[in-house]
Amino acid sequence: MVRDAGYALAAAALGLLIAWRLADGTARNLVQGWYVPILAATAVLLLAAAALTIPVALRDGLARWRRPSAAGAVAAAVIGLPLVIAAAFEPRPLASASLDLSAAAARQFSASASAADPARRNIYQWAYEFETADPAAIAGQPVDVIGFVFRREGDPPERFRVARFVVACCIADAQGFTLPVLWKDASTLANDQWVRVTGRVGIGPDGGPIVLAASVAPIEAPQNPYIYP
């Protein structure tokens, strides 16, 4: 049980912060969905501990509340500062600024990356096909994916990448996957704009696969911005 005011208030603050981020949905920008019940249970336990302790301390009078010391002040700062920062900044989904497309950024695929039905493949599964399949074997297959736009300065005006992050546990292990897209109006798209891309797989000038887009439609960002392998 929390034994003094500082710990009780810290538990209450952390519990309220977790509950707040669960309520507004931004917790899903940090962790995979199956963590949500765990976070909810954690918030309930923290708030329950604070609720049981603070009234007892108030009833017994100020003597129960420990006098602050230098060590206590440091502990309060260590506990309190992250809570203040976490409350001040709303968690946002990973976006194009976090993408690393360098050759050194090795990407790993799970067994779920291989999906036989092209019409049901997401960006992660298509990225696996683009990396492992013979381009001629997948050319002509239909593509229907959603993701955010990624364009770099100097990209051809008719080219962009549609991207999505894959999260196994939390954003600390996130990996970004992209598909090259050929579309005549690519230059009108803004980075991080969410779109639905439909078309077919073609073969680009470099011999690699590319999405030949028939339609690129702006959409609202999905409630869950990540793909879970």
Side-chain angles (χ1 to χ4, degrees), residues 8-225:
L9 292 174
L14 181 56
L16 288 172
L17 178 61
I18 294 172
W20 175 23
R21 293 311 184 193
L22 289 173
D24 68 10
T26 56
R28 288 182 174 271
N29 295 337
L30 301 174
V31 298
Q32 191 177 146
W34 58 265
Y35 270 108
V36 170
I38 298 174
L39 290 174
T42 300
V44 169
L45 290 173
L46 288 169
L47 292 173
L52 290 172
T53 302
I54 292 176
V56 173
L58 291 175
R59 184 189 64 203
D60 292 350
L62 295 178
R64 182 177 176 84
W65 300 73
R66 296 179 182 174
R67 293 183 178 181
S69 62
V74 171
V78 170
I79 295 172
L81 184 59
L83 292 176
V84 171
I85 294 174
F89 295 94
E90 179 180 316
R92 295 189 177 277
L94 296 175
S96 58
S98 301
L99 281 173
D100 183 2
L101 302 184
S102 65
R107 287 162 182 78
Q108 299 178 346
F109 296 93
S110 68
S112 66
S114 179
D117 183 2
R120 302 184 64 180
R121 289 179 187 144
N122 55 38
I123 288 177
Y124 174 56
Q125 292 163 332
W126 271 117
Y128 173 80
E129 297 295 330
F130 275 32
E131 187 165 317
T132 61
D134 180 356
I138 58 175
Q141 292 186 357
V143 177
D144 186 349
V145 296
I146 64 171
F148 61 86
V149 173
F150 177 59
R151 298 190 79 244
R152 289 175 290 196
E153 188 174 349
D155 282 350
E158 72 284 358
R159 300 264 310 251
F160 74 98
R161 287 181 173 270
V162 60
R164 202 85 183 259
F165 280 93
V166 173
V167 172
C169 174
C170 62
I171 60 172
D173 62 36
Q175 296 185 87
F177 293 85
T178 70
L179 302 177
V181 181
L182 183 66
W183 189 53
K184 59 184 179 62
D185 295 323
S187 61
T188 65
L189 300 172
N191 266 359
D192 299 324
Q193 176 183 358
W194 282 84
V195 293
R196 179 180 181 182
V197 178
T198 57
R200 293 190 176 274
V201 178
I203 298 178
D206 60 355
I210 190 171
V211 178
L212 305 177
S215 170
V216 177
I219 61 171
E220 292 292 327
Q223 183 178 14
N224 185 356

